[in-house]
Amino acid sequence: MKPGKFAFTMILIVLLFFYIPIFIVVLFSFNSSKSPVWTGFSLKWYEKLFTSSAHIWRTFMNSIIVGIGSSFVGVILGTFGAVAMYMGAKKFKKLMWTTTYIPFIIPDIIIGVSLLIFFTTIHLRLSLLTIFIAHVTFSIPYTMMIILTRLQDFDKSIIEAAYDLGATRPIALWKVIIPIALPGIVAAFFMAFTLSIDDFVITFFVAGPSSTTLPLQIFSMVRFGISPVINAISTLLLVGTIFISILLRKYVRYII
């Protein structure tokens, strides 16, 4: 087999391996029965999702609240961290880069256990607040790196010129650095939001009995058998993700 055909075949196999399970989830969200055999087209699982699945929507709203809130705070902290790395001295950059990179390679289960021990030590009751704090914690490294990638595309002389023209540091930050970093900030926000909505492992350790998020709810439902309602809400989440991706396609190049 020629190298070109071999490469094409391997890419096709990988894409099929990745997309076939997603296609099956979408397909069986329209199946008329619970069985894993196609018996006919039906929208009854979507009807059940919207009419008799209040517990799912409650956990979905918890995920949305935590996702938006933690992404907003994570982007703010990540922006200041990225600016500090961009403008800081070389030794400071090296230290910041190392400390920021470490969370990428630490297993989620270790982060989850560490946060659980921390919250228990300070006697903070497990709730949506602890989930929010945990999600802010693991989103900061991602937001910092994405925004820093954006800033590195520009010459510092633009900022120095603003200083020469009389701009103070706060004005230079607001009028020059933030507009330059804005595409990266937007991309970082949606990356953090996606990570928050999707997170299960860390959330599992820091969630309280009345603070269930959507991934935890789906996990508890799967333990008692896969319901087509799960397929329905998974399909809606997939459609929402694709819609956001289309709107933000011009920012994709700033995501690392």
Side-chain angles (χ1 to χ4, degrees):
M1 182 180 293
K2 294 182 180 180
K5 290 184 177 180
F6 177 76
F8 175 79
T9 303
M10 292 305 298
I11 292 173
L12 183 61
I13 291 173
V14 170
L15 291 176
L16 289 175
F17 181 79
F18 180 77
Y19 284 106
I20 284 179
I22 297 176
F23 173 77
I24 291 174
V25 168
V26 175
L27 178 65
F28 280 90
S29 69
F30 297 101
N31 193 15
S32 60
S33 69
K34 288 186 176 182
S35 67
V37 178
W38 181 260
T39 57
F41 181 85
S42 175
L43 294 175
K44 70 177 183 179
W45 305 118
Y46 288 91
E47 180 184 357
K48 185 176 180 180
L49 175 64
F50 284 102
T51 58
S52 57
S53 300
H55 59 293
I56 293 179
W57 290 109
R58 185 167 55 252
T59 59
F60 175 75
M61 287 306 302
N62 287 343
S63 294
I64 293 295
I65 292 170
V66 171
I68 293 177
S70 63
S71 300
F72 182 74
V73 175
V75 162
I76 292 175
L77 297 177
T79 299
F80 284 113
V83 172
M85 289 179 66
Y86 179 67
M87 300 295 293
K90 188 174 182 180
K91 290 184 178 179
F92 174 75
K93 285 183 181 180
K94 188 174 182 180
L95 176 62
M96 284 289 291
W97 181 270
T98 302
T99 55
T100 304
Y101 181 75
I102 289 176
F104 287 107
I105 59 177
I106 296 178
D108 286 350
I109 191 171
I110 295 178
I111 297 176
V113 171
S114 301
L115 289 170
L116 174 61
I117 294 173
F118 172 73
F119 293 142
T120 304
T121 302
I122 64 175
H123 303 290
L124 183 61
R125 186 175 64 87
L126 298 182
S127 61
L128 282 181
L129 176 61
T130 54
I131 298 175
F132 168 80
I133 295 172
H135 286 207
V136 170
T137 301
F138 72 69
S139 68
I140 290 175
Y142 292 93
T143 58
M144 282 183 62
M145 291 302 158
I146 293 171
I147 296 169
L148 180 62
T149 301
R150 171 65 178 179
L151 290 174
Q152 287 175 338
D153 288 342
F154 289 86
D155 195 340
K156 286 184 181 178
S157 60
I158 300 175
I159 302 171
E160 293 170 356
Y163 291 148
D164 292 339
L165 293 172
T168 61
R169 288 184 179 274
I171 291 177
L173 175 65
W174 183 252
K175 296 289 187 179
V176 180
I177 298 176
I178 296 299
I180 288 173
L182 186 58
I185 292 173
V186 174
F189 176 86
F190 281 96
M191 171 63 82
F193 180 75
T194 302
L195 292 172
S196 176
I197 287 289
D198 183 59
D199 183 73
F200 171 79
V201 176
I202 296 175
T203 306
F204 179 81
F205 286 97
V206 300
S210 60
S211 57
T212 304
T213 59
L214 184 60
L216 296 181
Q217 178 65 36
I218 291 176
F219 173 73
S220 65
M221 293 172 66
V222 168
R223 291 168 60 190
F224 300 101
I226 299 178
S227 169
V229 175
I230 298 177
N231 296 339
I233 195 166
S234 299
T235 301
L236 293 180
L237 288 173
L238 177 63
V239 172
T241 302
I242 294 173
F243 179 72
I244 293 174
S245 300
I246 292 174
L247 290 179
L248 298 172
R249 62 186 182 278
K250 67 177 180 178
Y251 299 112
V252 169
R253 61 194 179 102
Y254 300 117
I255 300 178
I256 56 177

